[in-house]
Amino acid sequence: MAAVALAVLVTAPTAEALPDGLAPTPPMGFNNWNTTGCDVDEKLIRDTADIFVSKGLKAAGYEYVNVDDCWAEPLRDADGKLEAHRTRFPSGIKALADYVHSKGLKFGIYTSAGTVTCAKTMPGGLDHEEVDARTFADWGVDYLKYDNCNNQGRPALERYTKMRDALKRTGRPIVFSICEWGENKPWQWGADVGHLWRTAGDIKDNWSRMLQLMKQNAPLDAYAGPGRWNDPDMLEVGNGGMTTAEYQTHFALWAMMAAPLLIGADLRKVSAEHFDILRNDEIIAVDQDRKGVQAKVLSTVDGKWVFAKPLANGDVAVALFNENSANATISTSAREIGLPSAAGYTLRDLWRHENLQTAGRISAVVGPHETVIYRVKADGDWFRHPPLVSGGLELRAPVPGIPGEILPPGEPVEVTVRATNEARVPVFAPEVSLTAPEGWKAERVALPRPVVLTTGESATGRWQLTPPPAAAGTKAVLTGALAYRTTRFGKVTRATDSPVTVPAAPPSGRVWASDVAIAAERNGYGPVEKDMSNGGIPAGDGKPLTINGAKHAKGLGTHASAEVVFYLGGRCSAFSTDVGIDDEKEPAAKQGSAAFEVYADGTKAAGSGVKTWADPATTLTADVTGARYLRLVLTDGGDGVQYDRGDWASPLLTCE
């Protein structure tokens, strides 16, 4: 997604928000679907309201406690009204709403703009808009999520407008969430109909899916504003499928995009460190800023993202996001983010909760899948704060397209540890160091010589690092450390870790790729599956690899966008595979298209072009003679990634 393409959207026309004053900032709250699905009852909702108060979520700004699908009886009553499920919600919805309100919170509910809801357990709202809206209002509902399942093919704008009008006629202020999955570009019409609209399909608790939704939502900044919000779906923070660093990125980027912050985890099970993410009041303030601007993407070069979000008091929030799996230096400047010229600037690190000074450059070595988020302002107090010294450990990818954190056993690679003074004041006695696992060979090539670093100057150390052959097939951590002195703040030390992978020994003979250890992988849904299709989440939930009715016993199941890397060590000569879209999908879904590409090191060795769900398998053959790496890439066919389950069937490597 190029920055040039994003800039075009700046001039996109935007509709005015509904004139009801609702959702002046993105809604914050809870929805149970991500963690419980249909296994929901009134105790869960009551417990959640209690936890909002006891754990400080209410104080942090979360207010909506929402119940999703499966809360109603399967049939309407004699008057055509929805009824609460008698077993799971025996007290009724009004009593539940009253309990939530008694805690000083607001209550939300769910239905679908179709004949039945998505779980097909309860009636939908299609052609029952008036009676359902009145029922919700009588129960004290404050928020309605209106889904898109079983819609009978009727126009989305018609269906959602009918519910908007019905809600308005009740006289009760109800936030209206359009859950239309972005199918009909609701950002172009949604502001006249609701207060927020989904920009894509459902989120999943994995890195690839979260990243995919971010990429779909980020270019739509021109359409967001007070009372009209782009919604990339709920938060997965605390559900367990991502690392803490990935959850921090998830939360920070949702805040930068002025997205609704609806917790999708069972709060009775969330860890303390994940509660700390959800309660980070400085990042919440960025999301809830009354100016109501969604961050603009300034750069995406090589997976290094820069977001900038102007705030109501004149500050600018900046996020430096590293999409890659190795440390990366990411930079911007006060001028590029729109701040006026000044002698110095104050940066507030919103994760560390500390102030720093810069002369204008905003830079950091950002860890894999991490996000550094600053609040930046031009003021006269910058000199009161410690200097921003950016830097840390950097790994340079020896082969284009291959992640830099892959370090083959017995092969030397250059490692750099750098410290750069970004501040107006000098720093003194800079030191850099590298720590590698025991048994690894780290030969010092160069160490920094300067005694003083003025603005923009760097101290750099370089090492030639060689993992031992015995480390093959393991993971390790390298640590780069910085140290320097300042006249006002004394000595400062900081260390950054970088995870690395030492791949297994290269394959030998004729071997199926699914029997070879994967050196690195990236997948659109869940993990790459071996000898089965990609079912999503968890691992092992796929079915036999099947392309247009033909089954394959061996292979890899991926989902666009995907990438699989194997270490060959120059010992293989040929690769062949049958590729195509797997048959695993809903019977009526005539969807799925993707392109398959094979790379030998940085050179494309074979490609299929776009393959659709209706195509038989295509055989690809590639000359990989002398290649150190084999990289298999699956890209979207241009119509979205739904059902883009790409099979690499019977993938055969011929090696020494």
Side-chain angles (χ1 to χ4, degrees):
M1 183 170 58
V4 174
L6 295 172
V8 173
L9 291 177
V10 174
T11 58
T14 59
E16 292 297 321
L18 291 173
D20 54 19
L22 294 178
T25 59
M28 295 176 61
F30 165 87
N31 180 293
N32 68 280
W33 185 258
N34 286 10
T35 185
T36 68
C38 277
D39 188 17
V40 59
D41 56 29
E42 63 182 46
K43 184 179 186 304
L44 169 65
I45 304 304
R46 288 173 181 259
D47 288 349
T48 299
D50 293 343
I51 293 170
F52 264 42
V53 176
S54 66
K55 292 287 191 178
L57 293 171
K58 176 186 173 184
Y62 296 91
E63 61 175 342
Y64 292 98
V65 180
N66 299 344
V67 60
D68 210 280
D69 206 345
C70 310
W71 59 265
E73 283 289 307
L75 298 174
R76 294 176 180 270
D77 69 11
D79 296 323
K81 295 182 179 180
L82 295 167
E83 292 185 290
H85 193 280
R86 296 184 182 90
T87 303
R88 294 195 291 269
F89 294 86
S91 301
I93 300 301
K94 186 178 187 309
L96 184 58
D98 288 346
Y99 184 84
V100 172
H101 291 153
S102 75
K103 300 292 181 177
L105 302 167
K106 295 180 180 179
F107 178 74
I109 209 163
Y110 164 100
T111 187
S112 182
T115 52
V116 292
T117 59
C118 292
K120 300 181 180 178
T121 64
M122 52 179 275
L126 189 64
D127 296 328
H128 292 81
E129 293 85 1
E130 293 293 334
V131 65
D132 287 355
R134 173 49 57 192
T135 299
F136 297 151
D138 291 345
W139 286 344
V141 167
D142 306 295
Y143 183 113
L144 174 64
K145 175 183 173 182
Y146 205 35
D147 219 331
N148 195 35
C149 290
N150 306 299
N151 58 46
Q152 308 305 302
R154 287 162 57 175
L157 183 57
E158 169 194 307
R159 290 180 289 116
Y160 285 92
T161 300
K162 285 182 70 175
M163 182 56 83
R164 175 203 66 184
D165 294 342
L167 292 172
K168 183 178 180 180
R169 281 190 282 271
T170 69
R172 182 174 179 80
I174 298 176
V175 170
F176 188 27
S177 170
I178 299 170
C179 185
E180 183 267 354
W181 320 321
E183 287 194 343
N184 296 279
K185 298 183 179 180
W187 47 88
Q188 295 182 348
W189 49 266
D192 294 323
V193 180
H195 304 96
L196 60 153
W197 46 84
R198 285 274 295 279
T199 55
D202 288 358
I203 196 169
K204 301 291 183 183
D205 188 22
N206 70 82
W207 170 257
S208 295
R209 181 58 172 168
M210 184 276 291
L211 182 62
Q212 182 182 47
L213 295 190
M214 182 278 286
K215 290 181 178 181
Q216 290 178 254
N217 192 80
L220 304 176
D221 57 282
Y223 296 96
R228 47 184 175 90
W229 306 107
N230 294 313
D231 179 9
D233 206 6
M234 294 172 278
L235 295 169
E236 292 283 4
V237 176
N239 272 330
M242 289 183 260
T243 67
T244 295
E246 290 169 345
Y247 280 143
Q248 288 178 323
T249 284
H250 179 18
F251 193 71
L253 296 184
W254 261 233
M256 290 293 292
M257 294 189 298
L261 300 180
L262 295 177
I263 299 168
D266 186 339
L267 292 171
R268 300 171 297 188
K269 302 176 182 178
V270 172
S271 68
E273 65 178 349
H274 293 159
F275 261 117
D276 287 343
I277 295 173
L278 294 169
R279 290 183 304 222
N280 187 310
D281 57 351
E282 295 194 72
I283 293 178
I284 289 171
V286 170
D287 179 80
Q288 295 290 296
D289 185 74
R290 69 178 188 274
K291 191 177 183 73
V293 174
Q294 177 174 325
K296 186 170 297 300
V297 178
L298 302 186
S299 176
T300 64
V301 176
D302 296 329
K304 297 183 288 187
W305 294 66
V306 178
F307 291 79
K309 174 180 167 71
L311 304 175
N313 71 342
D315 296 356
V316 178
V318 177
L320 308 177
F321 161 51
N322 180 14
E323 178 184 347
N324 304 292
S325 50
N327 287 359
T329 299
I330 308 177
S331 305
T332 185
S333 69
R335 180 183 61 81
E336 289 170 347
I337 67 173
L339 284 173
S341 178
Y345 303 84
T346 297
L347 281 74
R348 177 72 174 175
D349 187 321
L350 303 189
W351 286 123
R352 296 173 182 260
H353 304 293
E354 64 180 6
N355 289 330
L356 301 164
Q357 62 156 287
T358 177
R361 204 168 88 108
I362 302 162
S363 184
V365 172
V366 186
H369 297 183
E370 291 185 1
T371 297
V372 172
I373 182 168
Y374 294 123
R375 187 170 181 137
V376 189
K377 61 182 174 182
D379 66 358
D381 289 336
W382 58 267
F383 63 90
R384 301 180 185 276
H385 309 306
L388 171 64
V389 177
S390 67
L393 186 149
E394 302 172 3
L395 291 163
R396 183 167 52 191
V399 176
I402 301 302
E405 81 278 9
I406 299 178
L407 306 182
E411 296 186 20
V413 64
E414 185 176 289
V415 177
T416 300
V417 182
R418 189 188 321 274
T420 302
N421 180 20
E422 313 291 2
R424 183 63 65 191
V425 300
V427 299
F428 306 93
E431 302 173 12
V432 295
S433 63
L434 170 69
T435 302
E438 185 177 353
W440 290 43
K441 182 179 180 181
E443 183 179 4
R444 194 166 57 202
V445 176
L447 281 179
R449 294 181 178 179
V451 176
V452 179
L453 295 181
T454 59
T455 303
E457 291 185 330
S458 298
T460 303
R462 291 187 291 115
W463 288 261
Q464 189 176 70
L465 182 69
T466 307
T474 66
K475 294 184 181 296
V477 174
L478 306 178
T479 301
L482 317 176
Y484 52 90
R485 293 184 177 277
T486 66
T487 54
R488 185 170 182 177
F489 301 99
K491 186 173 183 178
V492 178
T493 60
R494 182 161 53 87
T496 59
D497 291 338
S498 181
V500 295
T501 297
V502 184
S508 60
R510 287 167 60 84
V511 60
W512 301 116
S514 57
D515 293 334
V516 177
I518 294 173
E521 68 174 70
R522 171 176 61 83
N523 202 46
Y525 280 104
V528 172
E529 300 283 9
K530 291 190 173 184
D531 302 332
M532 66 178 64
S533 67
N534 176 259
I537 304 171
D541 64 345
K543 297 178 181 179
L545 295 160
T546 309
I547 304 173
N548 210 330
K551 287 184 168 55
H552 299 259
K554 303 295 293 182
L556 302 168
T558 60
H559 196 298
S561 297
E563 200 169 299
V564 187
V565 177
F566 296 96
Y567 175 57
L568 305 184
R571 298 184 184 179
C572 301
S573 58
F575 174 73
S576 65
T577 182
D578 291 340
V579 298
I581 303 300
D582 194 272
D583 291 352
E584 185 179 348
K585 57 182 177 292
E586 295 178 16
K590 296 182 177 181
Q591 290 177 263
S593 66
F596 298 76
E597 298 172 341
V598 179
Y599 289 83
D601 287 340
T603 302
K604 184 176 178 179
S608 68
V610 175
K611 305 292 294 182
T612 76
W613 62 274
D615 295 330
T618 293
T619 299
L620 299 181
T621 59
D623 181 356
V624 296
T625 302
R628 297 174 65 201
Y629 298 95
L630 169 68
R631 185 162 61 103
L632 309 180
V633 177
L634 182 74
T635 62
D636 169 35
D639 57 354
V641 297
Q642 192 169 19
Y643 301 115
D644 286 359
R645 294 181 172 94
D647 291 349
W648 305 81
S650 304
L652 187 64
L653 271 165
T654 302
C655 307
E656 295 178 3

